[in-house]
Amino acid sequence: MKYIGFYNAPGAEFSRSSSLAATEKMDYICDVLCRLGNIVHIISPSWFIANTKAKYQRSKKVTLKEQKLLTLAPSFGEKTRLLRFTKISLSLIWLLWHIIVYTRKNEKILVYHSPWLSWPIRWAKRIRRLHIVLEVEELYADATPIGALLEIWEKKLLSAADSFLFSTEMLEKKIGKGKPCCIIYGRYQAADSIAHPPDDGKIHLLYAGIIDSNKKGAFNALESTRYLPANYVLHIVGFGEIDKLQERINQLKTTNKCRVVFDGQKRGDEYIRYAQSCHIGLSTQSMDGKYLGTSFPSKILSYLSMGLRVVSCHVECVNKSTIKNLVTYYYRDTPKAIADAIISIDLNKSFNAKLVIQRMDHEIASDINTLMLD
């Protein structure tokens, strides 16, 4: 089973164009396919990021695990706009060539949606008559300005798909056009319990993820602490505008009753242990983003998989999902509304989101089997 997407090997010597969230979602879908008895071959056109000091690296094949292979595009470091254009063009031309040479006519392949992949995927489909299963996590044109050319490419790639893996029901409604599809919000992997909140009489809150003053998630969580009593503690982990966040934390120290702690980045078991030491996870991005209509907030599933309650802004794609009753919503984008939603959660009530996540994992395996392998 071939899986096309921007992916880099864990611990790779050189950084390539890829996102952690996309890589984690691809890893989970690979695991599902492997459980179904497939050998999954990821084909990644990812190029070296800007200022990479490598001169040139040939295409290379890596065995990630027994049933999971990765082939990386050739790439090189660059310092000028012309060389950047050449580097990206090399990756896309290589991808087209690789698909044409190494696929069978009428073969079904899985593609992680990106406007950059539109041109090589559409031409490969035309030449090899491929069946394209397009995994769509969000619409790029809704999430960020991408330019007129990439917006056109995105629309053409969506039209070229024969079937879909969608991240939300809203995406199916918007672009599905009755084609075969299944819905997969994120990683349905319930984490083993390796930690518990401390018995210190405090209610521990967690915001984990990008620290960005545009999406405002960490900053909204931080501002809500102005309305929380002294028995709450907010823990923030992540990356991004750390200096700005730390400055605001210091400003609030003199007036806040609720304590705030920033602990940098956490990964792997360290992150799981840290998260499971909290009671409530916060998904508090700005409610103004157009992308919220179709993009499922992955951190909600992450929190639930580790047994946390979740507070989130009211997002239509979450409210219409199968996990809607596991989330506590706030409806106004204000610190007071967020704080009120947090305070409304009764930790003494029975709550076991992990069982729901486990059931969803079994169901999605069956759905993917039907979509990909029948």
Side-chain angles (χ1 to χ4, degrees):
M1 178 70 63
K2 294 179 181 65
Y3 192 173
I4 316 298
F6 287 90
Y7 188 102
N8 198 13
E13 182 181 2
F14 302 110
S15 296
R16 291 173 176 260
S17 53
S18 62
S19 95
L20 180 59
T23 298
E24 289 181 348
K25 185 75 172 280
M26 290 179 71
D27 281 338
Y28 174 68
I29 291 174
C30 285
D31 289 344
V32 172
L33 289 168
C34 290
R35 274 190 275 148
L36 293 169
N38 297 278
I39 295 174
V40 183
H41 187 176
I42 299 171
I43 301 167
S44 172
S46 293
W47 47 79
F48 289 158
I49 65 171
N51 300 317
T52 300
K53 294 183 179 180
K55 291 183 178 179
Y56 178 77
Q57 188 178 77
R58 298 176 60 184
S59 171
K60 58 186 289 189
K61 191 171 183 178
V62 181
T63 300
L64 300 175
K65 56 174 66 173
E66 187 177 353
Q67 293 174 264
K68 185 177 175 184
L69 309 172
L70 168 66
T71 296
L72 290 162
S75 194
F76 55 87
E78 43 74 24
K79 293 183 179 180
T80 68
R81 183 174 295 182
L82 176 61
L83 284 176
R84 182 175 186 273
F85 174 81
T86 304
K87 174 185 69 177
I88 293 173
S89 299
L90 170 66
S91 290
L92 299 181
I93 293 168
W94 171 88
L95 177 62
L96 174 61
W97 169 85
H98 193 93
I99 296 173
I100 291 171
V101 170
Y102 292 103
T103 57
R104 306 181 308 276
K105 189 169 287 188
N106 300 314
E107 184 174 344
K108 184 179 286 189
I109 65 172
L110 177 59
V111 178
Y112 191 106
H113 160 248
S114 166
W116 285 108
L117 298 181
S118 178
W119 174 78
I121 292 299
R122 287 185 289 115
W123 272 100
K125 176 180 178 174
R126 183 177 299 182
I127 294 167
R128 301 297 286 164
R129 299 178 186 174
L130 301 171
H131 180 110
I132 305 299
V133 181
L134 191 64
E135 178 188 346
V136 185
E137 299 297 324
E138 63 182 352
L139 298 179
Y140 282 75
D142 287 352
T144 184
I146 58 174
L149 178 60
L150 287 179
E151 194 166 335
I152 292 169
W153 279 11
E154 179 173 43
K155 290 177 180 177
K156 288 186 175 182
L157 179 59
L158 294 169
S159 296
D162 299 288
S163 53
F164 292 98
L165 279 177
F166 287 125
S167 65
T168 70
E169 287 85 355
M170 303 302 294
L171 279 169
E172 178 188 3
K173 182 178 178 181
K174 187 169 184 176
I175 59 175
K177 297 181 179 178
K179 294 179 180 180
C181 71
C182 63
I183 310 296
I184 174 169
Y185 306 132
R187 294 170 64 98
Y188 303 152
Q189 289 183 319
D192 293 334
S193 295
I194 59 176
H196 300 279
D199 185 16
D200 59 359
K202 304 284 188 180
I203 297 175
H204 293 266
L205 313 173
L206 172 67
Y207 176 88
I210 188 168
I211 299 166
D212 178 359
S213 55
N214 290 319
K215 292 187 175 181
K216 299 182 181 178
F219 294 97
N220 281 346
L222 176 58
E223 293 302 323
S224 74
T225 63
R226 293 187 285 134
Y227 299 92
L228 293 174
N231 63 320
Y232 285 83
V233 180
L234 172 62
H235 303 263
I236 300 176
V237 291
F239 60 96
E241 298 176 44
I242 294 171
D243 291 342
K244 185 174 180 179
L245 179 78
Q246 196 66 64
E247 180 182 359
R248 185 58 178 152
I249 290 173
N250 292 335
Q251 290 171 353
L252 291 175
K253 274 182 181 179
T254 58
T255 55
N256 263 19
K257 295 178 181 177
C258 171
R259 188 164 64 93
V260 181
V261 180
F262 173 68
D263 280 322
Q265 281 189 265
K266 305 288 181 183
R267 298 182 183 277
D269 286 348
E270 184 185 21
Y271 170 66
I272 295 173
R273 189 173 291 106
Y274 189 92
Q276 290 181 341
S277 299
C278 298
H279 299 92
I280 301 170
L282 306 181
S283 179
T284 47
Q285 68 267 41
S286 170
M287 296 173 71
D288 293 333
K290 186 179 178 183
Y291 64 93
L292 289 175
T294 52
S295 178
F296 195 93
S298 59
K299 61 166 52 64
I300 290 179
L301 273 179
S302 174
Y303 293 147
L304 291 174
S305 70
M306 289 179 286
L308 278 67
R309 273 78 163 179
V310 175
V311 167
S312 170
C313 59
H314 186 262
V315 182
E316 189 175 6
C317 63
V318 178
N319 192 47
K320 292 189 175 181
S321 74
T322 57
I323 62 167
K324 61 184 179 183
N325 294 327
L326 298 176
V327 178
T328 299
Y329 301 101
Y330 59 91
Y331 297 86
R332 290 181 298 115
D333 206 358
T334 66
K336 181 69 164 57
I338 298 171
D340 288 344
I342 292 168
I343 292 170
S344 74
I345 293 178
D346 183 356
L347 296 179
N348 294 315
K349 281 189 176 180
S350 176
F351 182 82
N352 195 340
K354 287 186 179 183
L355 289 178
V356 178
I357 299 296
Q358 288 169 346
R359 186 187 73 236
M360 293 170 73
D361 179 55
H362 292 304
E363 291 172 352
I364 198 60
S366 175
D367 291 344
I368 288 178
N369 187 56
T370 300
L371 187 69
M372 297 295 303
L373 306 177
D374 284 4

